[in-house]
Amino acid sequence: MWEKMKTGMLSIAGHELINEGGLTTEALTWIIVILFVVGMVVVLSLREMVHKKKGINSRAKARIEEIVAQTVPEGEKVTAAYASWMTVDSQPMKGKTIYRYWWYAIGFNDARIYIIPISIDNKGENISGKGSFCVERSQLGLVNGKESGNWMELYGKDQKKICTLKVEASNTQGSCHLVDIAQPEAAKDFQRLIRLWLDVVNNTNGVKATGYYNNAKMHDLKTQQGDPLNGGLAVSAQAESVNRR
């Protein structure tokens, strides 16, 4: 019986945790590590719940809607949403990886998307628009994405990329998002728009989406920074973080 109990406890920790003298130092270390990990999971889960609830009627969400309303022509019906994108530039020779983030306020319907690059302060309290441009469905030569996804890449008739937009149902404050915004209905509308544009735009132009986003280092960075349909209006990176090895 003792050997069975001992074997069972050993299988949990993966090491010899018990001997005749009681808990070993290694066993105690494993117990502390396990308790720490469990505690961190609980804390992070609670934090996520708090931020999700906060995002339902957050000031940031209201500000996004306000920016869209100021941009869209009066009387035109659109869905307002917070959109984002991130590019990853791995530079192994320099021992670093650069993460760049873009944030937008967008207003969209079946025919067009109004895109307003936004800047957000580090506290996530002040959000301001930095110009705007409109992408008409009829101007597009290709839409890349997945029917079940939450992002899409937009390309002009000349096959030059305009930008990539991602709309998530829940955005919680952290390194990637500086705001709490819960927008399940807007995210659902955006998914419907993706399906519609994948069908209409690509069939009209006789092209097919790959379903894989283009994140080819500097190529993606350059296209995300410039809008060929609007005279080169800058859509610049709002934040950048570097991980060094």
Side-chain angles (χ1 to χ4, degrees):
M1 173 66 94
W2 168 248
E3 286 300 321
K4 289 184 178 179
M5 291 178 61
K6 183 177 179 180
T7 302
M9 297 183 75
L10 289 176
S11 65
I12 295 174
H15 291 278
E16 185 177 351
L17 300 183
I18 296 180
N19 58 23
E20 293 180 358
L23 288 175
T24 65
T25 302
E26 187 176 7
L28 185 60
T29 301
W30 271 98
I31 291 173
I32 293 174
V33 169
I34 291 170
L35 289 175
F36 176 78
V37 171
V38 171
M40 287 297 296
V41 170
V42 171
V43 170
L44 291 175
S45 297
L46 289 174
R47 179 186 180 278
E48 186 80 2
M49 289 175 59
V50 170
H51 281 278
K52 281 185 177 181
K53 186 175 181 180
K54 182 180 177 182
I56 296 174
N57 295 303
S58 66
R59 289 173 56 190
K61 183 178 180 180
R63 178 57 181 151
I64 292 296
E65 293 172 349
E66 181 183 0
I67 291 173
V68 171
Q70 292 171 348
T71 302
V72 174
E74 186 176 354
E76 183 171 4
K77 293 183 179 180
V78 298
T79 297
Y82 162 75
S84 64
W85 192 242
M86 178 185 76
T87 60
V88 181
D89 184 7
S90 180
Q91 300 179 9
M93 297 299 292
K94 296 182 179 180
K96 64 180 181 180
T97 301
I98 302 175
Y99 298 88
R100 297 182 176 91
Y101 307 96
W102 285 264
W103 303 306
Y104 307 94
I106 65 172
F108 60 91
N109 53 36
D110 290 355
R112 61 190 61 86
I113 301 179
Y114 296 92
I115 303 174
I116 309 105
I118 57 175
S119 61
I120 308 173
D121 68 359
N122 291 332
K123 294 182 179 180
E125 296 177 353
N126 296 314
I127 303 174
S128 58
K130 299 180 64 178
S132 65
F133 60 98
C134 177
V135 177
E136 299 279 349
R137 187 178 75 189
S138 59
Q139 294 176 307
L140 297 173
L142 168 68
V143 173
N144 186 30
K146 296 181 180 179
E147 290 189 355
S148 59
N150 59 5
W151 62 271
M152 64 176 168
E153 289 179 330
L154 306 176
Y155 292 81
K157 296 287 187 181
D158 56 3
Q159 298 301 301
K160 289 184 178 180
K161 183 177 169 185
I162 300 170
C163 68
T164 309
L165 299 171
K166 182 179 184 179
V167 175
E168 298 177 273
S170 180
N171 305 272
T172 55
Q173 198 171 45
S175 59
C176 187
H177 305 288
L178 299 180
V179 291
D180 291 316
I181 294 179
Q183 49 183 7
E185 293 303 320
K188 191 178 298 183
D189 286 347
F190 192 72
Q191 285 184 321
R192 187 186 62 80
L193 185 73
I194 293 172
R195 292 193 294 270
L196 175 65
W197 282 21
L198 281 172
D199 180 30
V200 176
V201 174
N202 293 349
N203 284 339
T204 298
N205 292 282
V207 295
K208 187 177 181 180
T210 65
Y212 297 95
Y213 62 82
N214 180 5
N215 194 25
K217 297 183 180 178
M218 293 308 296
H219 171 74
D220 196 61
L221 176 60
K222 289 177 181 177
T223 54
Q224 196 75 10
Q225 284 182 325
D227 166 37
L229 298 182
N230 198 40
L233 174 69
V235 185
S236 58
Q238 303 299 312
E240 181 175 303
S241 63
V242 180
N243 287 355
R244 296 183 181 276
R245 289 196 300 248

